[in-house]
Amino acid sequence: MPSQDVLPEQAVSTPSAARPRKPGRGGASRRPSHWWVPWAFAAPGLILFLLTTGYPLVRSLQISFYNWSVLPTQASTFIGLDNYIRALGDPQFWTSVVNAGVYLLMSVPATVALGLFFAILLQKKMPGRTLFRVLFYIPVVTSWVVVSLLFKFLFTTDNGAVNWFITDFFSFSDHAVPWLEQRWTGLIAISLLGIWKNLGWCLVVLLASLGGVGEELYEAAALDGANAWHKFVHVTLPGIRGTLLFVLVLQVIGAFNVFPSVLLMTNGGPAGSTEVPLTYMYKQAFSFLDFGYGSAMSFILAIFIFIVSFAQFKFLGEKKETLR
């Protein structure tokens, strides 16, 4: 009950228009709805993605369960998991996986380590720094076909530049090394190409990440008496750990997807000894027209890459949190 001291005009309730509006379902419902705007912007890219990636992916998964016939007059036969079982028991497929693993071990650590080394070096002020950055990045923008043919010429047994240095210039040996005619020497040549081609990309990404590490951290470490190695271990590496993980995961995925360099330098030879998964799939699908088998191998490789990438994120991510 209102007090008698209250004037009549004060007892009149405040008009609703003068009160601050409380957020609620009623207010939200009066706002104009533009839910379709982000979808309209995303639609062109989404449609292109579904046409160029989504549909081929689903179609390839379907083909992997069939003894697929490329002739429209012949029906394809559903064989279930037979293509997958065949791939898991195929020694040549496992040889190609092992070769990809060898390529990974020879190329990825060296690429990331050299990329980090040159990134730290080129971060400092020095004459010609911009020129060196451009020179390192030129192989990245050069076609895989061009650089693969270049390295094939360099490692040719007869009249190859590498063998000329070994036999004539430095006189390390009297015999030319058949680089591309043996399994391990062929994988070494292919790995060297992978390091040279991917080094510039790692350098640029790590260089950008190094720019985000605060100078005050280095100054504080210097006041504590830290030397260059201690600054690298306790300031630089923790500061770019996330970028290092990103670079490492992409390099590992790229190593399992190595294709044009192997196809153009050795074509998987001799006798399939330098075959990698993608060249083996390519030959099964387009040389022998066994599309079902090639598709099954591609999904086995995709599952394997997913497991390896997940393990990298899980292990290195947890290690990162622990170091924090």
Side-chain angles (χ1 to χ4, degrees):
M1 186 174 179
S3 172
Q4 294 179 356
D5 296 333
V6 177
L7 297 176
E9 57 271 23
Q10 292 177 327
V12 176
S13 60
T14 305
S16 58
R19 294 176 181 173
R21 181 173 296 174
K22 295 181 180 180
R25 298 181 61 181
S29 63
R30 288 193 293 270
R31 298 173 184 169
S33 177
H34 298 300
W35 62 266
W36 51 271
V37 173
W39 287 101
F41 280 103
L46 186 61
I47 292 172
L48 188 64
F49 172 79
L50 292 176
L51 289 177
T52 58
T53 303
Y55 174 73
L57 193 66
V58 174
R59 187 68 166 165
S60 177
L61 181 62
Q62 179 197 3
I63 291 174
S64 69
F65 295 113
Y66 281 80
N67 183 12
W68 193 261
S69 174
V70 295
L71 298 177
T73 56
Q74 295 181 356
S76 301
T77 307
F78 180 78
I79 57 174
L81 296 174
D82 284 2
N83 283 325
Y84 291 88
I85 297 172
R86 177 185 165 193
L88 294 176
D90 186 350
Q92 185 61 51
F93 174 69
W94 288 111
T95 299
S96 69
V97 173
V98 170
N99 286 339
V102 172
Y103 173 81
L104 185 156
L105 293 176
M106 286 197 290
S107 65
V108 172
T111 304
V112 176
L114 289 174
L116 180 58
F117 172 76
F118 286 112
I120 293 174
L121 197 64
L122 292 177
Q123 188 191 23
K124 303 180 183 303
K125 293 182 179 179
M126 55 185 293
R129 182 174 64 170
T130 305
L131 175 63
F132 285 118
R133 290 180 179 181
V134 173
L135 291 177
F136 274 109
Y137 202 73
I138 285 178
V140 180
V141 296
T142 308
S143 166
W144 270 103
V145 176
V146 174
V147 296
S148 298
L149 294 177
L150 172 65
F151 268 65
K152 184 178 182 180
F153 168 74
L154 293 175
F155 285 95
T156 300
T157 304
D158 299 325
N159 302 321
V162 175
N163 276 331
W164 179 80
F165 277 104
I166 292 174
T167 58
D168 297 335
F169 193 81
F170 293 111
S171 300
F172 290 147
S173 174
D174 295 331
H175 304 285
V177 179
W179 289 100
L180 305 179
E181 299 166 12
Q182 296 177 349
R183 181 184 185 184
W184 302 114
T185 53
L187 290 175
I188 290 173
I190 294 167
S191 300
L192 289 175
L193 169 57
I195 294 170
W196 180 72
K197 184 79 167 63
N198 296 320
L199 177 60
W201 181 83
C202 289
L203 185 149
V204 169
V205 175
L206 293 173
L207 193 60
S209 181
L210 286 171
V213 181
E215 284 295 329
E216 64 276 8
L217 296 177
Y218 292 104
E219 294 172 359
L223 291 176
D224 290 339
N227 56 27
W229 173 252
H230 290 151
K231 290 179 184 176
F232 173 74
V233 173
H234 298 291
V235 178
T236 304
L237 283 183
I240 62 170
R241 191 173 299 277
T243 307
L244 269 178
L245 174 61
F246 168 74
V247 169
L248 189 62
V249 170
L250 288 193
Q251 288 296 312
V252 169
I253 294 174
F256 280 109
N257 288 317
V258 59
F259 174 67
S261 56
V262 178
L263 188 69
L264 294 170
M265 291 179 67
T266 65
N267 195 22
S273 61
T274 59
E275 208 83 78
V276 291
L278 287 194
T279 57
Y280 191 50
M281 292 175 208
Y282 175 81
K283 291 175 182 175
Q284 292 297 322
F286 296 101
S287 298
F288 305 111
L289 301 181
D290 198 349
F291 285 94
Y293 188 43
S295 299
M297 284 191 291
S298 70
F299 277 95
I300 291 175
L301 182 65
I303 293 171
F304 185 73
I305 291 174
F306 174 80
I307 293 173
V308 172
S309 302
F310 179 79
Q312 284 181 285
F313 275 113
K314 187 72 176 175
F315 175 73
L316 297 177
E318 287 182 351
K319 193 172 181 181
K320 173 185 173 184
E321 294 298 329
T322 302
L323 289 175
R324 282 179 179 175

